[in-house]
């Protein structure tokens, strides 16, 4: 399973990269706005800065909601760097755009996916990645992880090659369960990745090893 970090914060991307387990980055308009990045030139420069930090795919989302606009924006975004993957919303024109990008050799990430039906459409349109939003489904009292399992089963049975990119991850357990259920990628906030490190027995065990070493060696 690949690990992406879900942020536009350059320090967090650097920190995740230094851990040595990072395979890419996903961003969205909210994450870019959170970093105070606005204006086309600044946005493009920021994507370039992200690509320079990470050695892997970097998802950059289109703002347009019509087919022509998405094609125009996506075609321009991929000129920033070879690492750019065009993030396209799961709407009717988005599906048409996914097909166009696929036919023109441009890699895509279909975002805002909340159902198996949407996952089938995106795969049929040739999406490179599919982003089901686990946390936002949990937020409305449904089961986001169940959707990951359902899509994994459908894609395996049907032989779809679109990679399942579990998104809207809110905690380390989401990562572990998504991995178990067959997600190809997890995109996570840095905190959730670092949360995987935590176990009290590791802390207690390390403290004892160091204490015993000190006793024996002075
Ligand atoms: O990649 C999509 C993700 O950023 C959404 O996460 O926590 O805003 O639902 P969240």
């Amino acid at each position: 399973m690949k690990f992406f970090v879900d942020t536009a914060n350059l320090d967090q991307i650097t920190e995740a990269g230094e851990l040595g387990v990072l395979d890419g980055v996903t961003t969205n308009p909210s994450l870019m706005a959170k970093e105070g990045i606005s204006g086309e030139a600044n946005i493009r420069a920021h994507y370039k800065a992200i690509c320079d930090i990470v050695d892997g795919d970097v998802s950059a989302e289109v703002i347009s909601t019509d087919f022509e606009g998405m094609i125009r924006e996506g075609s321009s975004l991929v000129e920033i760097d070879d690492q750019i993957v065009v993030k396209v919303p799961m709407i009717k024109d988005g599906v048409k755009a996914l097909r166009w990008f696929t036919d023109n050799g441009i890699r895509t990430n279909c975002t805002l996916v909340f159902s198996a039906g949407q996952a089938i459409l995106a795969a049929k349109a040739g999406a490179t990645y599919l982003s089901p939003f686990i946390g936002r489904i949990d937020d409305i009292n449904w089961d986001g992880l169940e959707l990951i399992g359902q899509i994994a089963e459908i894609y395996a049975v049907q032989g779809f090659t679109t990679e399942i990119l579990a998104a809207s991850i809110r905690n380390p357990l989401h990562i572990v369960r998504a991995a178990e259920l067959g997600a190809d990628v997890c995109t996570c906030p840095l905190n959730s990745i670092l949360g995987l490190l935590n176990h009290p027995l590791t802390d207690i065990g390390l403290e004892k090893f160091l204490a015993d070493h000190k006793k024996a060696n002075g």
Side-chain angles (χ1 to χ4, degrees):
M1 187 183 75
K2 288 186 257 185
F3 252 137
F4 290 176
V5 67
D6 193 30
T7 181
N9 182 285
L10 299 182
D11 291 338
Q12 289 186 17
I13 294 168
T14 303
E15 188 177 341
E18 284 170 356
L19 205 53
V21 298
L22 190 64
D23 300 298
V25 175
T26 51
T27 63
N28 62 39
S30 303
L31 294 172
M32 293 292 274
K34 194 172 161 195
E35 298 307 314
I37 314 298
S38 62
E40 195 186 341
N42 291 334
I43 289 172
R44 292 179 73 85
H46 200 76
Y47 284 138
K48 182 63 187 158
I50 293 174
C51 291
D52 288 346
I53 295 172
V54 68
D55 185 16
D57 291 345
V58 175
S59 287
E61 188 159 341
V62 297
I63 306 302
S64 304
T65 53
D66 63 297
F67 173 77
E68 286 79 14
M70 287 189 219
I71 299 309
R72 194 171 47 249
E73 261 189 73
S75 302
S76 168
L77 284 169
V78 293
E79 282 171 11
I80 297 172
D81 196 290
D82 289 347
Q83 291 166 248
I84 295 286
V85 173
V86 181
K87 209 168 173 188
V88 176
M90 171 38 78
I91 55 176
K92 193 172 177 186
D93 276 27
V95 173
K96 293 183 197 172
L98 288 172
R99 168 50 59 200
W100 189 92
F101 287 128
T102 303
D103 290 346
N104 286 275
I106 291 174
R107 295 176 309 136
T108 53
N109 175 355
C110 180
T111 189
L112 291 168
V113 171
F114 296 94
S115 77
Q118 293 176 328
I120 291 171
L121 270 180
K124 287 292 294 174
T128 313
Y129 295 110
L130 176 91
S131 291
F133 278 26
I134 298 177
R136 291 193 196 183
I137 295 175
D138 290 356
D139 287 345
I140 60 161
N141 210 19
W142 289 5
D143 188 345
L145 284 163
E146 189 181 343
L147 178 63
I148 298 293
Q150 188 184 17
I151 296 170
E153 192 175 338
I154 292 170
Y155 279 13
V157 167
Q158 296 297 330
F160 289 134
T161 55
T162 297
E163 292 186 52
I164 302 167
L165 192 165
S168 186
I169 280 179
R170 303 279 173 76
N171 56 60
L173 194 57
H174 271 161
I175 301 174
V176 173
R177 290 287 292 133
E180 209 172 27
L181 289 163
D184 300 289
V185 190
C186 276
T187 190
C188 329
L190 179 61
N191 278 348
S192 299
I193 298 178
L194 296 178
L196 292 171
L197 287 165
N198 297 337
H199 201 291
L201 292 180
T202 304
D203 300 337
I204 292 166
L206 182 61
E207 203 177 320
K208 180 157 174 34
F209 284 156
L210 295 180
D212 288 346
H213 176 82
K214 196 170 173 192
K215 241 184 272 166
N217 294 274

